Amino acid sequence: MPVVLQPPPSVSVPPNRTDSMIRLIPSSEVIERVAMSDAIAAVATAHRRLAAGTAIAPAPSSMPVPGSDAQFLGMSAIDSVSGLASMKFLADIPSNRDRALPAQRSMIIVSSLHGTPLALIDGAAVTRIRTAAATAVATDALARPDARVLGLIGAGALAEGHVEALMLVRPISRVVVWSRTTERARSLAATLSDRGIPATTAASAREVVGQADIVCTLTPSREPVLEGAWLHPGHHVNAVGAPPRADHREVDSEAVRRSRVILDTRSAALAESGDVLIPLREGSIDESHLGPELGEVLVGAAPGRRDPEEITLFNSLGSGLQDLALAALLVSAHSAQPAQAGP
């Protein structure tokens, strides 16, 4: 059964508080305190507020490191209903993989709208959970109600959370997974099977697409891992994994051309999504091909799936507002507790 989407609570912070005490929230606490169902509800509410104009999420600012493949991004957001503002400081460093380090690291600072600092949160778990939650919100709005087979292209850190989230919004009966690293795909399938979720591996990404009703691309690929020629009527695709870079994409131009494309935020997509910027540059599509933002669908300003045969594609970049949605849950959970000193 779909989750019941209830808005998260607002956070009450005295406007005359002037201390600089902030809460330090590690990823372990994020995992412990944030249930996926709550994350889905919070992210859906955030996108509704964005569409209603009571929240804002500017396109991220980007700072490339000279002479390096690294870039640092600032992902900001304000939610006037919860009374919070946030800034996520994200380091995207692909060469870190050669150093046995995460390619992405981040931290999120949260304040009241009076400027009172409230929390500094390790961004790793927040990012994984809110990304899966956003995929679930989009899938609930766009996938066919009878969609049952979930296909995963990529078996990394995002994969398990996506299975958990999507099972809350669709009656998933089977998961099929492919990864360039065969052992990783087999390990994920075994883990899911051990949890009572029927899961198998596929020999190729094309085979995943051929079997699935819902497809999630969860790779950091620079070149497409999903081709539009493989799609069939009724498919729903969540393009999730590509980093925020204009020359990286997971789906080819034909996939974008054949699909009705829903954006998490238009400003970010046109600034940093290779999935849409490359076909725009090629002339395969023009900007009129890009559909509404997810929040516009959720508030009824634009339709979701229009017919059973339509191919839909959610272009997921991630948003500072999604980070803020989960941060609000964490700050609210702490609101009655004494703060701890920052560093």
Side-chain angles (χ1 to χ4, degrees), residues 19-305:
D19 63 78
S20 59
M21 304 286 279
I22 64 172
R23 302 188 183 280
L24 305 178
I25 304 178
S27 277
S28 58
E29 185 172 336
V30 176
I31 294 168
E32 176 186 347
R33 289 184 176 271
V34 179
M36 184 61 76
S37 58
D38 292 337
I40 293 171
V43 168
T45 296
H47 280 279
R48 287 192 180 97
R49 290 176 181 171
L50 182 64
T54 58
I56 62 171
S61 60
S62 178
M63 299 181 292
V65 178
S68 167
D69 66 348
Q71 67 175 359
F72 288 79
L73 293 93
M75 301 173 67
S76 56
I78 288 175
D79 182 345
S80 63
V81 179
S82 69
L84 297 176
S86 69
M87 172 64 76
K88 181 181 193 175
F89 185 60
L90 169 67
D92 180 51
I93 309 173
S95 61
N96 264 1
R97 296 187 185 95
D98 299 330
R99 307 179 183 100
L101 295 172
Q104 291 191 346
R105 296 177 176 180
S106 61
M107 64 190 83
I108 302 162
I109 187 166
V110 186
S111 80
S112 76
L113 295 186
H114 303 290
T116 304
L118 300 174
L120 180 63
I121 308 171
D122 186 329
V126 169
T127 301
R128 289 196 303 271
I129 295 169
R130 62 84 154 148
T131 301
T135 297
V137 173
T139 299
D140 196 34
L142 300 170
R144 289 168 55 134
D146 60 351
R148 292 180 176 273
V149 180
L150 171 61
L152 304 179
I153 298 176
L158 292 174
E160 284 190 56
H162 271 70
V163 175
E164 178 187 358
L166 292 177
M167 289 186 71
L168 291 171
V169 299
R170 283 298 181 273
I172 302 299
S173 61
R174 182 165 63 92
V175 178
V176 57
V177 57
W178 174 83
S179 170
R180 287 193 175 102
T181 307
T182 302
E183 275 308 309
R184 184 173 290 175
R186 289 174 178 167
S187 176
L188 176 61
T191 297
L192 296 175
S193 297
D194 289 344
R195 295 177 182 174
I197 305 167
T200 59
T201 60
S204 65
R206 182 171 188 169
E207 185 177 316
V208 169
V209 177
Q211 295 185 40
D213 305 312
I214 301 165
V215 180
C216 299
T217 59
L218 305 172
T219 75
S221 182
R222 183 166 187 163
E223 302 298 332
V225 293
L226 183 151
E227 297 181 15
W230 304 343
L231 297 173
H232 58 68
H235 254 140
H236 173 63
V237 177
N238 297 297
V240 178
R245 293 173 183 254
D247 59 348
H248 285 59
R249 61 175 174 169
E250 293 184 291
V251 301
D252 70 1
S253 297
E254 179 67 1
V256 174
R257 188 193 68 78
R258 292 188 63 197
S259 301
R260 179 163 176 255
V261 180
I262 280 58
L263 310 170
D264 51 9
T265 61
R266 183 174 296 272
S267 60
L270 293 176
E272 61 182 16
S273 173
D275 284 314
V276 299
L277 289 173
I278 292 172
L280 282 170
R281 288 196 298 266
E282 292 174 347
S284 301
I285 62 168
D286 58 31
E287 280 195 37
S288 67
H289 182 78
L290 302 179
E293 292 186 350
L294 178 58
E296 294 171 323
V297 173
L298 297 179
V299 300
R305 171 169 290 275

